[in-house]
């Protein structure tokens, strides 16, 4: 795949870019290493000033940056602007809290003095996806830079202008030269960069296959990795739930980012007692969504990022129907309009053995399952290779406690939408990956946790 901006709403090639040569990659790695040697000595207060400035730049120019996101991957402009604003919030969060998170932690032992100290590792490679072109990067960059590390970014090949804009923001904020650099390269160059002795660790958000590839490459040199991979998140609605509120949230949960989100709700597991009502509401709300130009303010659902995603969804939906599944609304991609559009779709009556059991539907397709009781709901929720997030709806305390305890996921949200928040750790279990971003846990992923004992 070439490195290029292709407008997903029209299929038009907007701008293409030349990949870096091996010599250019070497130059950037050398500059990054040199930058680390001095940057690691900067004060937390100075880093915080620079990071706060980055947040200010994001907020002040959010519409311009939002338009880059929308142009490159198709999310509605209002959502793109909100993403840029969220990046400003994660900058402020770590600017305000990193000193506390990384302060020496005294421990009482048999020594005169003993404590834990957190120190930066060096160059961290970030391999990032196209679906949240700014947010995925800043939630790595903000804690990594505050910890004293330097970053190199290998972004998805279809969002090069987003990648370059992020480097521009970091530089404009005042960070020293080469503390954060974008590498316009293909996936085939990643393994060699991971193997370079100057690169100390790597983080990846993306597909399961990409995560395996990075983890294998890093393991050869015993390097730390954090992986945030796919998800097929359950959205459980029990008999006691506020069905109207659940249905309204369900639409947002499935349609966020045109359905292209790892933590988007994908499997809707509903108690039989309220299933008819929930299904009716959900179908009505799906059918009311406006599909169109993502640059327009009244568009609810824009195009998907690439034609291959549309093709994959078509194939998955067709396989579900062949297994006996029923299309309640939507169903197949459009053949009469340009761009990568796919209608909001709901599938029900999905029997065991259909793709709905094990596959992640990365787009605006909701999978509806009916269950008899809480036991069945939890079993269905956990019967998937992934374990990223889960949303569950109930007003019964005992049900809530069981859902929190028994659902296999990195996050459980009760009566609310699963979302990432700078204050809370984010990540998954099972084939959704390992490690955590955000919160205090996120800044501790890429530091040396050094034990100090003095007598």
């Amino acid at each position: 795949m070439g490195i290029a901006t292709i407008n997903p709403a029209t299929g038009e090639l907007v701008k293409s870019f030349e990949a870096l040569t091996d010599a250019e990659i070497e130059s950037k790695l050398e500059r990054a290493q040199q930058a680390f040697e001095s940057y690691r000595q900067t004060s937390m207060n100075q880093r915080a000033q620079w990071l706060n400035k980055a947040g200010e730049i994001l907020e002040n120019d959010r519409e311009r940056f939002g338009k880059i996101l929308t142009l490159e991957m198709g999310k509605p402009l209002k959502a793109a602007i909100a993403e840029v604003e969220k990046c400003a919030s994660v900058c402020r969060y770590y600017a305000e809290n990193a000193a506390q998170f990384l302060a020496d932690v005294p421990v009482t032992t048999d020594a005169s003095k003993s404590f834990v100290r957190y120190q930066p590792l060096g160059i961290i490679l970030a391999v990032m996806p196209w679906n949240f072109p700014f947010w995925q990067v800043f939630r790595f960059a903000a804690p990594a830079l505050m910890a004293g590390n330097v970053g190199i970014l290998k972004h998805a090949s279809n969002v090069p202008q987003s990648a370059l804009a992020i480097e521009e923001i970091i530089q404009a904020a005042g960070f020293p030269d080469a503390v954060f650099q974008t590498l316009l390269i293909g996936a085939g160059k990643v393994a060699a960069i991971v193997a370079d002795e100057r690169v100390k660790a790597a983080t990846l958000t993306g597909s399961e296959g990409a995560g395996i590839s990075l983890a294998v490459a890093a393991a050869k040199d015993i390097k730390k990795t954090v992986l945030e991979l796919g998800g097929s998140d359950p959205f459980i609605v029990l008999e006691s739930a506020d069905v109207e509120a659940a249905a309204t949230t369900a639409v947002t949960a499935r349609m966020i980012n045109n359905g292209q989100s790892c933590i988007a709700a994908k499997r809707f597991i509903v108690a039989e007692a309220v299933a008819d009502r929930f299904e009716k509401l959900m179908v009505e709300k799906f059918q009311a969504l406006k599909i169109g130009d993502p640059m327009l303010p009244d568009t609810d659902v824009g195009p998907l990022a690439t034609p291959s995603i549309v093709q994959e969804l078509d194939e998955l939906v067709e396989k579900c129907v062949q297994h006996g599944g029923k299309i309640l609304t939507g169903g197949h991609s459009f053949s009469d309009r340009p761009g990568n559009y796919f209608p909001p779709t709901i599938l029900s009556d999905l029997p065991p053995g259909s793709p709905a059991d094990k596959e992640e539907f990365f787009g605006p397709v909701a999978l509806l399952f009916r269950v008899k009781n809480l036991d069945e709901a939890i079993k269905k929720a956990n019967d998937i290779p992934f374990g990223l997030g889960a949303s569950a709806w109930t007003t019964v305390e005992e049900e809530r406690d069981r859902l929190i305890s028994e659902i296999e996921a990195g996050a459980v949200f009760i009566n609310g939408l699963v979302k990432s928040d700078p204050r809370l750790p984010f990540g998954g279990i099972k084939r959704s990956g390992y490690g955590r971003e955000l919160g205090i846990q996120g800044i501790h992923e890429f530091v040396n946790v050094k034990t100090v004992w003095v007598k």
Side-chain angles (χ1 to χ4, degrees):
M1 178 180 178
I3 300 172
T5 300
I6 299 174
N7 186 343
T10 64
E12 172 196 6
L13 172 63
V14 178
K15 189 174 183 180
S16 59
F17 297 80
E18 290 293 325
L20 296 179
T21 65
D22 289 344
E24 289 169 329
I25 294 171
E26 166 59 28
S27 174
K28 285 182 177 289
L29 287 173
E30 182 58 30
R31 289 174 60 213
Q33 182 60 35
Q34 291 174 2
F36 173 65
E37 296 304 328
S38 58
Y39 180 67
R40 67 184 304 177
Q41 305 299 331
T42 58
S43 68
M44 295 294 291
N45 182 60
Q46 178 62 81
R47 296 174 202 166
Q49 288 182 38
W50 288 328
L51 195 57
N52 273 322
K53 181 62 176 179
E56 181 183 319
I57 292 168
L58 285 159
E59 285 195 327
N60 290 344
D61 217 0
R62 56 188 177 270
E63 186 166 341
R64 177 171 75 88
F65 294 133
K67 286 180 178 178
I68 294 173
L69 271 63
T70 297
L71 174 67
E72 292 202 304
M73 59 72 56
K75 71 179 66 194
L77 180 57
K78 55 191 175 186
I81 292 172
E83 178 178 335
V84 176
E85 292 171 338
K86 190 172 184 178
C87 293
S89 76
V90 80
C91 290
R92 286 193 298 268
Y93 174 76
Y94 281 107
E96 292 168 5
N97 293 287
Q100 174 191 341
F101 292 162
L102 297 173
D104 290 350
V105 179
V107 181
T108 302
T109 69
D110 58 336
S112 303
K113 182 180 184 181
S114 52
F115 58 93
V116 175
R117 174 162 291 176
Y118 301 105
Q119 294 181 309
L121 297 179
I123 300 174
I124 314 297
L125 168 66
V127 181
M128 292 290 127
W130 48 261
N131 58 336
F132 291 92
F134 268 41
W135 171 243
Q136 307 279 16
V137 177
F138 274 97
R139 75 185 191 191
F140 149 75
L145 296 181
M146 281 305 300
N149 295 302
V150 302
I152 52 175
L153 169 65
K154 186 275 179 234
H155 218 325
S157 294
N158 60 326
V159 290
Q161 294 190 62
S162 296
L164 293 170
I166 293 167
E167 181 177 329
E168 169 198 321
I169 292 164
I170 300 296
Q171 290 178 345
F175 283 93
D177 181 56
V179 163
F180 186 93
Q181 297 179 86
T182 284
L183 307 183
L184 293 183
I185 56 174
K189 298 290 186 180
V190 170
I193 293 172
V194 172
D196 190 291
E197 64 180 8
R198 292 165 293 190
V199 175
K200 302 305 181 185
T203 181
L204 179 144
T205 299
S207 70
E208 187 179 329
I212 292 170
S213 178
L214 182 79
V216 168
K220 291 177 181 177
D221 291 295
I222 318 178
K223 293 184 180 180
K224 172 75 177 288
T225 54
V226 169
L227 303 181
E228 196 269 282
L229 309 178
S232 188
D233 286 6
F235 188 103
I236 300 169
V237 183
L238 299 177
E239 186 174 350
S240 67
D242 180 337
V243 177
E244 177 70 42
T248 299
T249 304
V251 178
T252 302
R254 178 65 282 220
M255 290 300 126
I256 186 171
N257 211 43
N258 301 334
Q260 302 163 117
S261 171
C262 53
I263 55 169
K266 299 181 178 82
R267 296 177 300 131
F268 297 82
I269 301 166
V270 188
E272 287 182 348
V274 294
D276 285 345
R277 184 177 168 212
F278 180 86
E279 178 183 297
K280 180 175 183 293
L281 288 168
M282 199 169 176
V283 169
E284 289 174 353
K285 293 175 186 296
F286 265 46
Q287 291 175 341
L289 294 169
K290 182 173 181 180
I291 307 167
D293 183 345
M295 290 292 185
L296 298 178
D298 59 343
T299 292
D300 298 309
V301 182
L304 304 186
T306 67
S308 63
I309 300 171
V310 177
Q311 181 181 350
E312 182 178 0
L313 279 182
D314 262 331
E315 292 171 356
L316 287 172
V317 169
E318 182 58 33
K319 287 179 182 177
C320 286
V321 171
Q322 290 173 1
H323 276 80
K326 180 182 177 183
I327 297 174
L328 300 181
T329 188
H332 297 286
S333 58
F334 301 99
S335 59
D336 59 346
R337 66 188 302 172
N340 310 323
Y341 288 92
F342 198 95
T345 297
I346 301 175
L347 302 178
S348 69
D349 300 335
L350 294 156
S354 79
D357 275 346
K358 303 298 178 186
E359 306 248 6
E360 179 182 19
F361 286 61
F362 211 65
V365 178
L367 310 171
L368 188 60
F369 301 90
R370 297 182 180 224
V371 293
K372 291 188 174 76
N373 51 42
L374 176 61
D375 288 337
E376 281 194 12
I378 293 173
K379 182 179 179 181
K380 187 66 182 176
N382 291 337
D383 188 21
I384 196 80
F386 305 106
L388 194 53
S391 176
W393 294 71
T394 178
T395 56
V396 177
E397 184 176 0
E398 293 80 5
E399 292 179 341
R400 180 200 67 194
D401 292 343
R402 280 196 61 194
L403 290 160
I404 292 170
S405 297
E406 297 179 33
I407 289 179
E408 298 167 355
V412 176
F413 281 60
I414 303 296
N415 300 328
L417 175 77
V418 176
K419 58 185 178 181
S420 56
D421 183 316
R423 299 164 293 188
L424 295 171
F426 182 88
I429 60 173
K430 301 197 287 189
R431 298 189 81 84
S432 289
Y434 52 75
R436 292 295 180 266
E437 298 176 290
L438 304 176
I440 187 172
Q441 293 80 5
I443 202 169
H444 286 169
E445 287 286 2
F446 294 120
V447 294
N448 175 20
V449 183
K450 180 182 285 185
T451 294
V452 179
W453 190 97
V454 180
K455 189 170 185 178

